[in-house]
């Protein structure tokens, strides 16, 4: 990390400030504006840096909610999902176009809808079924990244449509940069529109990026700071979400793109803002009660407000997210978890759980879910160093 930079990460529960190779964290005062809280607690260090030397990332606004409409699971939906996740976007649903007349329409406001499908040599894919569905949907932005031939039809029938180059080229490879830039800029605009975040531009003259996007940039250089061995996954458990960053060597169906690493976000597996949904997911997992017995607690722990209860929730978040990327729960991807050499944990979890607590959960998961004695090495980022690595000169 450069000595002349100040790095700030605004999370849903904590904010972290890094300078001169040290990181300090502060629990947010939710009765204050983020800017006021940050200035109150850290103005002595902030005042020492010029605006152009201060870099801020944030997950405090929760990210953008996204719905993706695609032609096939194996290409259009898969490719668009890959790009959205790696841009720090939260995907609330995907719709297979052949089923668009049968699927339910989300009632919540969607920040951005992505429509994708077919290579440029194919035509007449979309029709009025798409327009009828969109008429029922409540969304703020919509972008088309599908075949070029259908673009004029969609443009004539969808208000404020943004048309970008097709993300699927004629060799069925990903063309990701245009959509990634669009989504990153939308996130930026969303931040500027948030009253409690936009004031941060009084501190910095640099663009504010999403924290998951920044963390994903650190994976290729993670071994410069931590003792990790490929292949590995990075699990970031915070107050609102749980993210997994992983090497694409760990997925069976690899897609051709420029990135070595991908990201998954589980918006409902945080332990503060998403506590209720985390507990709901736990109660609907058939192995959780056995896990609670293994941890020597009962389900009454869900009703408690204590340090012990928080610790159990953190451990459950680890177990549930590993289930979601294993063959046990078919999600967006299934990772080759038996091939892992290392698991790195970062986020608020490292301030609550000890290494032994994490090792116990990981061991239980491998034995119970994977029927395996394999135990990857556990690495704890207790000083929140990972998010700072991407800002090295």
């Amino acid at each position: 990390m450069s000595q002349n930079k100040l790095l700030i990460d605004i999370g849903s529960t904590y904010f972290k400030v890094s300078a001169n190779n040290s990181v300090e964290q502060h629990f947010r005062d939710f009765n204050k504006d983020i800017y006021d809280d940050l200035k109150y607690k850290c103005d002595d260090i902030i005042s020492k840096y010029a605006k152009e030397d201060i870099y801020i990332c944030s997950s405090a606004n929760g990210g953008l909610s996204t719905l993706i409409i695609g032609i096939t699971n194996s290409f259009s939906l898969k490719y668009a999902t890959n790009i959205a996740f790696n841009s720090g976007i939260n995907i609330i649903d995907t719709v297979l176009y052949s089923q668009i007349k049968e699927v339910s329409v989300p009632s919540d406001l969607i920040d951005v809808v992505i429509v994708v499908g077919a290579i440029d040599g194919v035509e007449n894919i979309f029709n009025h079924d798409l327009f009828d569905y969109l008429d029922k949907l409540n969304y703020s932005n919509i972008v088309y990244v599908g075949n070029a031939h259908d673009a004029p039809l969609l443009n004539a029938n969808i208000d404020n449509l943004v048309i970008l180059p097709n993300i699927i080229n004629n060799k069925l490879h990903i063309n990701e940069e245009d959509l990634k830039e669009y989504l990153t800029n939308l996130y930026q605009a969303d931040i500027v529109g948030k009253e409690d975040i936009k004031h941060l531009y009084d501190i910095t003259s640099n663009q504010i990026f999403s924290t998951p996007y920044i963390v994903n940039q650190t994976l290729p250089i993670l071994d410069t700071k931590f003792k990790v061995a490929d292949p590995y996954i990075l699990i970031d458990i915070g107050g609102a979400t749980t993210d997994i960053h992983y090497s694409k060597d760990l997925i069976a169906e690899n897609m051709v793109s420029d990135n070595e690493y991908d990201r998954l976000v589980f918006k409902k597996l945080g332990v503060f803002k998403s506590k209720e949904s985390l507990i709901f997911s736990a109660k609907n997992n058939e192995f959780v009660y056995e896990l609670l017995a293994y941890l020597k607690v009962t389900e009454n722990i869900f009703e408690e407000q204590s340090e012990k209860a928080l610790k159990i929730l953190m451990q459950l978040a680890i177990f549930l997210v590993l289930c979601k990327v294993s063959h046990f729960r078919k999600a967006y991807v299934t990772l080759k978890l038996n091939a892992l050499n290392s698991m790195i944990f970062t986020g608020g979890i490292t301030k609550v759980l000890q290494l032994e607590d994490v090792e116990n959960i990981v061991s239980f998961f491998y034995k119970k879910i994977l029927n395996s004695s394999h135990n990857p090495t556990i690495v704890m980022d207790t000083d929140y160093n990972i998010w700072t690595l991407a800002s090295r000169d």
Side-chain angles (χ1 to χ4, degrees):
M1 184 180 65
S2 175
Q3 298 291 316
N4 62 351
K5 293 180 180 179
L6 178 64
L7 312 177
I8 302 173
D9 174 40
I10 307 296
S12 60
T13 311
Y14 290 88
F15 55 79
K16 281 84 71 178
V17 178
S18 175
N20 298 321
N21 294 313
S22 66
V23 179
E24 60 182 56
Q25 61 165 330
H26 300 272
F27 192 80
R28 284 179 48 197
D29 183 346
F30 298 105
N31 294 316
K32 289 184 177 180
D33 178 271
I34 290 176
Y35 172 84
D36 293 336
D37 194 22
L38 184 64
K39 290 281 284 184
Y40 176 75
K41 292 170 179 171
C42 303
D43 191 48
D44 56 336
I45 188 171
I46 292 173
S47 61
K48 295 177 181 178
Y49 289 83
K51 290 179 70 172
E52 59 267 24
D53 295 325
I54 298 177
Y55 296 81
I56 299 177
C57 59
S58 173
S59 57
N61 66 331
L64 299 175
S65 63
T66 304
L67 181 142
I68 304 175
I69 302 171
I71 302 300
T72 62
N73 284 314
S74 55
F75 291 105
S76 59
L77 283 177
K78 185 176 182 179
Y79 286 12
T81 299
N82 177 273
I83 297 170
F85 273 134
N86 283 291
S87 303
I89 304 300
N90 298 316
I91 299 173
I92 61 104
D93 207 354
T94 59
V95 175
L96 195 61
Y97 185 62
S98 62
Q99 302 172 0
I100 199 166
K101 290 192 289 187
E102 289 80 40
V103 297
S104 59
V105 179
S107 57
D108 294 339
L109 174 66
I110 307 297
D111 291 311
V112 56
V113 177
I114 301 172
V115 182
V116 61
I119 60 176
D120 284 341
V122 179
E123 56 187 57
N124 299 326
I125 297 297
F126 299 101
N127 57 35
H128 63 86
D129 292 338
L130 173 64
F131 312 137
D132 291 343
Y133 179 84
L134 292 174
D135 284 342
K136 303 172 188 174
L137 193 64
N138 187 16
Y139 61 89
S140 299
N141 303 277
I142 184 166
V143 57
Y144 178 65
V145 287
N147 74 89
H149 186 277
D150 282 355
L153 173 67
L154 270 64
N155 192 45
N157 287 275
I158 301 173
D159 292 336
N160 302 314
L161 178 68
V162 174
I163 299 175
L164 298 177
N166 198 341
I167 63 169
I168 308 172
N169 69 20
N170 289 344
K171 294 182 179 180
L172 299 181
H173 293 177
I174 297 181
N175 168 35
E176 57 191 330
E177 290 309 314
D178 294 289
L179 179 57
K180 183 180 289 186
E181 181 181 1
Y182 170 79
L183 294 174
T184 302
N185 289 338
L186 266 189
Y187 181 88
Q188 163 78 1
D190 184 61
I191 287 177
V192 172
K194 302 287 186 182
E195 286 296 328
D196 59 347
I197 295 178
K198 68 180 182 180
H199 292 155
L200 296 177
Y201 280 101
D202 292 340
I203 297 174
T204 182
S205 59
N206 298 299
Q207 181 171 346
I208 299 174
F209 288 98
S210 74
T211 302
Y213 174 81
I214 294 298
V215 170
N216 222 37
Q217 308 309 303
T218 70
L219 267 66
I221 56 173
L222 212 57
D223 58 357
T224 64
K225 186 73 177 181
F226 299 92
K227 293 181 179 179
V228 296
D230 286 323
Y232 59 80
I233 60 175
L234 168 64
I235 300 179
D236 184 351
I237 299 180
T241 65
T242 289
D243 291 0
I244 289 188
H245 303 259
Y246 61 94
S247 165
K248 289 197 290 189
D249 293 338
L250 292 169
I251 56 176
E253 296 182 9
N254 213 343
M255 62 185 74
V256 182
S257 72
D258 295 331
N259 293 327
E260 292 181 73
Y261 300 94
D262 283 341
R263 165 186 170 257
L264 288 171
V265 60
F266 298 95
K267 194 173 182 181
K268 296 183 178 181
L269 287 183
V271 294
F272 289 103
K273 287 192 174 182
S274 304
K275 177 182 175 181
E276 294 305 318
S277 59
L278 172 65
I279 292 173
F280 178 82
S281 295
K283 289 181 177 180
N284 284 276
N285 184 293
E286 61 190 272
F287 294 103
V288 159
Y289 291 98
E290 188 174 344
L291 174 57
L292 292 177
Y294 173 75
L295 297 173
K296 297 181 172 55
V297 296
T298 69
E299 62 182 294
N300 294 330
I301 196 73
F302 294 143
E303 311 303 324
E304 292 185 16
Q305 302 288 335
S306 64
E307 289 186 13
K308 182 178 181 180
L310 176 60
K311 177 179 175 179
I312 295 297
L313 287 178
M314 289 284 191
Q315 290 177 299
L316 285 174
I318 295 173
F319 179 75
L320 292 172
V321 78
L322 288 176
C323 283
K324 285 181 176 293
V325 294
S326 73
H327 62 80
F328 176 67
R329 284 282 186 268
K330 194 67 176 178
Y332 166 57
V333 295
T334 299
L335 301 183
K336 301 174 186 175
L337 297 177
N338 273 321
L340 281 182
N341 283 317
S342 303
M343 280 189 192
I344 307 99
F345 288 86
T346 189
I349 186 175
T350 63
K351 296 301 180 184
V352 176
L353 299 183
Q354 301 297 314
L355 177 62
E356 182 182 1
D357 299 324
V358 177
E359 289 176 337
N360 284 342
I361 292 298
V362 172
S363 177
F364 178 89
F365 168 80
Y366 271 89
K367 289 176 182 177
K368 193 66 188 179
I369 304 301
L370 300 186
N371 193 27
S372 170
S373 59
H374 178 66
N375 277 312
T377 301
I378 305 300
V379 178
M380 302 287 280
D381 176 28
T382 54
D383 294 322
Y384 291 123
N385 277 312
I386 286 174
W387 65 278
T388 69
L389 299 182
S391 295
R392 286 187 171 185
D393 288 335

